């Protein structure tokens, strides 16, 4: 398989939810708590591009002076903002994100929107390579009464997904792709999402340090051309999709033609959805 051009680096995390003003930080915090100006200064000195916005988020989240100092120190040390806060904003919801778990990207909201447009009547949703379970939770929130399952090979991710899916009665399973799913789901899945790792192995060292050092490699490295996991997902999808169901997977711009071929080779009728605004590319496949 020919090599593909580098996947664009993941941009710095930008705060996404409206937040209270800095003055709304817990009034009960001891006077020894760092001031808003000191927090901004520490974050700016550490190279945080959106220091003021991040300071507001941290000040609004910290419950004690000690917690505030710890959060500032961790962010200044390079931990992802979402890991410091304990949550990420995704498709209008706060998704719990534990340390060491892949942080859902805002561009992946486009995949959720495509899934909702394609299968509003789906009764069963499955999210493979689920990470925190952000996609499954977003779909569960939008599809009333849907049966939701998520799966990941990483136990930390599964633990996190269970927390995020609990309000919807969803289930998270640990295992390798379809091997993790209950056999009873075969042929019943209306929406199958898979935000697979798609960074080519040689490009992983070029990722921002936040991703490279604090997110699991298994959630980033997609093999030599970045499509190893996507091909496996596509190949297995026809056995699990219900009539009229659809498979959706995110991919990089330069990998998109090969990703479309992988879906087509699996026997799926395939299209590519693109959002220039979010710089997102989603391959959508349905059984013929």
């Amino acid at each position: 398989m020919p090599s593909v051009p580098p996947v664009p680096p993941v941009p710095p995390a930008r705060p996404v939810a409206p937040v209270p003003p800095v003055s709304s930080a817990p009034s009960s915090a001891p006077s020894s708590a760092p001031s808003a100006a000191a927090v901004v200064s520490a974050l700016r000195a550490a190279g945080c591009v959106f220091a003021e916005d991040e300071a507001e988020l941290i000040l609004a989240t910290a419950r004690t002076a000690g917690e505030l100092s710890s959060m500032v120190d961790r962010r200044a040390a390079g931990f992802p903002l979402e890991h410091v806060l304990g949550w990420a904003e995704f498709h209008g919801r706060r998704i719990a994100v534990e340390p060491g778990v892949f942080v859902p990207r805002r561009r992946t909201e486009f995949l959720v929107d495509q899934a909702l447009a394609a299968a509003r009547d789906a009764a069963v949703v499955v999210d493979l390579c689920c990470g925190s379970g952000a996609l499954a939770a977003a779909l569960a929130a939008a599809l009333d009464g849907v049966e939701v399952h998520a799966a990941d090979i990483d136990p930390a991710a599964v633990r996190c997904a269970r927390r995020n899916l609990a309000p919807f009665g969803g289930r998270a399973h640990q295992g390798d792709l379809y091997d993790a799913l209950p056999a009873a789901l075969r042929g019943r899945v209306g929406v199958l999402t898979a935000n697979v790792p798609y960074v080519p192995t040689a490009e992983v060292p070029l990722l921002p340090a936040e991703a490279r050092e604090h997110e699991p490699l298994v959630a980033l490295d997609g093999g030599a051309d970045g499509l190893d996991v996507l091909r496996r997902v596509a190949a297995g999808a026809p056995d699990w999709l219900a009539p009229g169901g659809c498979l959706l997977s995110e991919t990089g711009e330069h990998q998109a033609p090969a990703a479309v071929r992988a879906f087509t080779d699996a026997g799926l009728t395939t299209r590519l959805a693109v959002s220039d605004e979010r710089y997102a590319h989603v391959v959508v496949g349905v059984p013929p």
Side-chain angles (χ1 to χ4, degrees):
M1 175 67 63
S3 60
V4 297
V7 173
V10 178
R14 180 187 295 268
V16 294
V19 297
V22 168
S23 61
S24 69
S27 59
S28 59
S31 58
S32 60
S35 67
V39 172
V40 171
S41 179
L43 296 180
R44 186 179 291 125
C48 297
V49 177
F50 307 106
E52 291 82 1
D53 293 336
E54 292 191 9
E56 289 190 0
L57 284 166
I58 291 173
L59 285 159
T61 301
R63 295 164 294 185
T64 67
E67 187 173 46
L68 175 58
S69 295
S70 175
M71 292 172 72
V72 173
D73 288 346
R74 293 176 66 220
R75 181 59 182 141
F79 284 82
L81 176 65
E82 294 82 359
H83 287 170
V84 171
L85 298 174
W87 55 268
E89 181 78 9
F90 185 81
H91 212 265
R93 301 188 61 82
R94 282 193 177 185
I95 300 296
V97 181
E98 299 179 8
V101 173
F102 181 81
V103 175
R105 304 329 194 223
R106 292 301 300 274
R107 64 171 173 264
T108 307
E109 292 177 338
F110 181 64
L111 190 157
V112 174
D113 293 338
Q114 291 296 307
L116 292 174
R120 267 285 176 185
D121 297 328
V124 177
V125 167
V126 168
D127 181 19
L128 296 180
C129 305
C130 69
S132 64
L135 277 73
L139 291 168
L143 299 172
D144 188 42
V146 71
E147 180 182 347
V148 181
H149 296 262
D152 202 289
I153 200 168
D154 179 19
V158 172
R159 182 174 63 248
C160 195
R162 284 173 179 157
R163 179 179 172 189
N164 287 313
L165 294 180
F168 309 104
R171 297 173 58 193
H173 315 274
Q174 184 180 344
D176 184 22
L177 299 181
Y178 300 104
D179 291 345
L181 300 178
L185 294 178
R186 192 180 295 268
R188 296 181 51 226
V189 180
V191 174
L192 176 58
T193 62
N195 190 21
V196 301
Y198 59 85
V199 180
T201 301
E203 306 300 334
V204 171
L206 304 180
L207 291 173
E210 285 185 18
R212 192 176 65 249
E213 297 176 4
H214 299 288
E215 294 181 319
L217 182 62
V218 70
L220 303 170
D221 189 342
D225 67 351
L227 297 176
D228 285 0
V229 182
L230 182 142
R231 291 189 185 93
R232 293 178 57 212
V233 169
D239 290 337
W240 293 85
L241 289 173
C246 64
L247 166 66
L248 305 98
S249 189
E250 187 175 279
T251 191
E253 177 183 12
H254 299 293
Q255 299 158 305
V260 168
R261 287 196 299 273
F263 272 45
T264 302
D265 289 346
L268 301 172
T269 300
T270 308
R271 66 180 176 87
L272 179 67
V274 178
S275 170
D276 293 329
E277 178 185 2
R278 294 194 182 276
Y279 197 63
H281 299 75
V282 173
V283 187
V284 183
V286 298

